[in-house]
Amino acid sequence: MSKAKRVTITDIARLAGVSPGAVSFALNGRPGVSEQTRQRILEIAEQHQWLPSSAARALVGSRAGVIGFAVNRSAGTLGAEAFFTDLIAGVQSALATNRIAMQMVLVASLEEEVATYRRWRSANQVDGVIVIDPRDDDPRLTVLRDLDLPAVVIGSHASDDAHPATIWLDDSQVAHALFDYLAALGHRSIVYVAGPAEFQHTRMRTEVLVGQKDRGVTGEVIATDFSPSEAANAMRRLLSRRERPSAVVFDNDVMAIAGLRVAQEMRVSVPGDLSIASFDDSVVAGLVHPSITCITRDTFGLGADAADFLLEQIDSVEILPDRVGPLPGLTVRESTAAPR
């Protein structure tokens, strides 16, 4: 039986109705084609399992000079969160020093993120990737290992030996800093308005809150999509109850500010009748009135460290040992006080 004919750039160009040059631009992530055309070409290449030939790789060199960052967030949420602004700035600062570019794409699902890694690897578009929001039994990590695509995960705890290297922050310790403080103030009814429930950091923070029951604290968790609109809706429901919580903790600063606005809308005094806090800090969180108690972290430094770690991982023949990122701390401001 004869072997199936290898799909070439010329074949893809014919199927897409474009020139071979346009296909080359699209597959190598270069400007020169519209985003719509680029996506059509990439989809055709993936459907036909196109792989660059060894000769083509030799002509362009073994390195792409680019790292990838696929973010599973909506554009609106991404633009509003100070965490991402600072993280991306930190990554870019480290890459610029090494004259490396970053290709960032927004994806709508875990499946689309995995497909992006496969496409990047097959087209030799990136030398490695930064991964965020790890989950327990995360399928992305197995795919990256099978693709032999260098990766660094920004996570909440150390990784298993078989998984990509991780730069991690102990989210249990971070959660204790905030929830222990609220419990010490005397709060006995605390609600955590979280992001998606499947994220490791959500689970770890939830476990710490539930563990506060030995101090007489009743904890509740409400999962959202990180958006200020869902945070506001959750806060309205909480403040409409006959028995309100005495403290509400949000996963990020934008959610916390949305929650504060709802409290003001419903004439609930902060911190007199309700304490509000956030697991992310920002300049705005310190400027609103009352200013918001937050976990403050060096996100810019975390991004720079992750990029440097990835570049080292790309040059290494084996998975490097995990590293601990900059330790966050609790910044107490006006939005928290002992309950009346």
Side-chain angles (χ1 to χ4, degrees):
M1 182 184 252
S2 62
K3 235 179 177 181
K5 178 179 177 291
R6 182 188 181 92
V7 175
T8 66
I9 284 180
T10 303
D11 295 326
I12 295 173
R14 178 176 49 78
L15 292 169
V18 297
S19 69
V23 174
S24 178
F25 287 147
L27 294 176
N28 289 288
R30 295 174 182 167
V33 293
S34 70
E35 188 57 33
Q36 183 179 4
T37 300
R38 185 188 310 277
Q39 289 304 319
R40 185 168 77 254
I41 291 169
L42 293 175
E43 286 170 7
I44 292 171
E46 186 174 357
Q47 288 169 6
H48 292 271
Q49 299 181 325
W50 176 84
L51 289 171
S53 68
S54 57
R57 285 178 185 269
L59 286 174
V60 299
S62 60
R63 294 283 177 86
V66 179
I67 68 105
F69 189 21
V71 183
N72 189 354
R73 289 285 198 285
S74 68
T77 301
L78 184 69
E81 286 190 58
F83 173 84
F84 280 105
T85 304
D86 293 343
L87 183 73
I88 292 168
V91 170
Q92 292 280 26
S93 71
L95 295 179
T97 302
N98 293 276
R99 296 185 178 180
I100 302 293
M102 180 174 75
Q103 182 173 350
M104 188 180 83
V105 298
L106 299 184
V107 295
S109 66
L110 203 63
E111 293 73 22
E112 188 178 343
E113 185 175 342
V114 167
T116 299
Y117 296 145
R118 293 187 186 281
R119 184 172 68 248
W120 279 343
R121 189 55 162 169
S122 68
N124 198 32
Q125 285 183 271
V126 300
D127 299 319
V129 295
I130 291 175
V131 181
I132 61 170
D133 296 331
R135 300 149 170 81
D136 295 324
D137 301 321
D138 197 322
R140 298 173 299 173
L141 307 187
T142 303
V143 169
L144 289 168
R145 183 188 62 209
D146 292 344
L147 290 173
D148 195 25
L149 180 60
V152 165
V153 179
I154 298 177
S156 299
H157 59 70
S159 67
D160 298 330
D161 291 339
H163 285 162
T166 300
I167 183 166
W168 62 285
L169 311 172
D170 189 342
D171 252 300
S172 291
Q173 182 179 346
V174 170
H176 269 295
L178 185 46
F179 290 133
D180 287 357
Y181 173 69
L182 292 173
L185 284 176
H187 292 280
R188 295 297 176 262
S189 176
I190 302 174
V191 175
Y192 167 35
V193 181
E198 65 267 22
F199 291 168
Q200 279 180 355
H201 76 259
T202 302
R203 174 182 58 78
M204 296 174 74
R205 294 170 185 178
T206 297
E207 289 172 353
V208 172
L209 177 57
V210 171
Q212 297 288 328
K213 65 182 178 182
D214 61 0
R215 304 176 71 164
V217 173
T218 299
E220 179 183 350
V221 180
I222 300 174
T224 72
D225 63 355
F226 287 123
S227 70
S229 59
E230 284 209 13
N233 290 336
M235 184 63 117
R236 286 193 185 93
R237 292 194 298 270
L238 290 171
L239 298 186
S240 297
R241 293 177 180 177
R242 187 183 299 273
E243 295 293 332
R244 294 170 173 169
S246 64
V248 180
V249 178
F250 294 88
D251 240 346
N252 65 43
D253 56 310
V254 178
M255 295 168 70
I257 292 169
L260 175 63
R261 291 292 301 272
V262 170
Q264 293 168 341
E265 162 198 318
M266 298 181 71
R267 299 187 179 182
V268 175
S269 173
V270 178
D273 297 321
L274 176 73
S275 285
I276 291 177
S278 167
F279 275 113
D280 273 344
D281 200 357
S282 67
V283 173
V284 178
L287 293 177
V288 294
H289 180 70
S291 55
I292 298 175
T293 293
C294 295
I295 293 293
T296 304
R297 63 191 79 219
D298 181 9
T299 311
F300 181 94
L302 176 63
D305 289 348
D308 284 335
F309 192 15
L310 177 58
L311 295 181
E312 290 179 41
Q313 183 64 72
I314 290 168
D315 287 332
S316 176
V317 295
E318 57 187 19
I319 296 177
L320 298 174
D322 292 338
R323 296 181 185 175
V324 179
L327 185 66
L330 178 65
T331 300
V332 177
R333 298 194 180 107
E334 301 165 338
S335 67
T336 50
R340 288 177 180 170

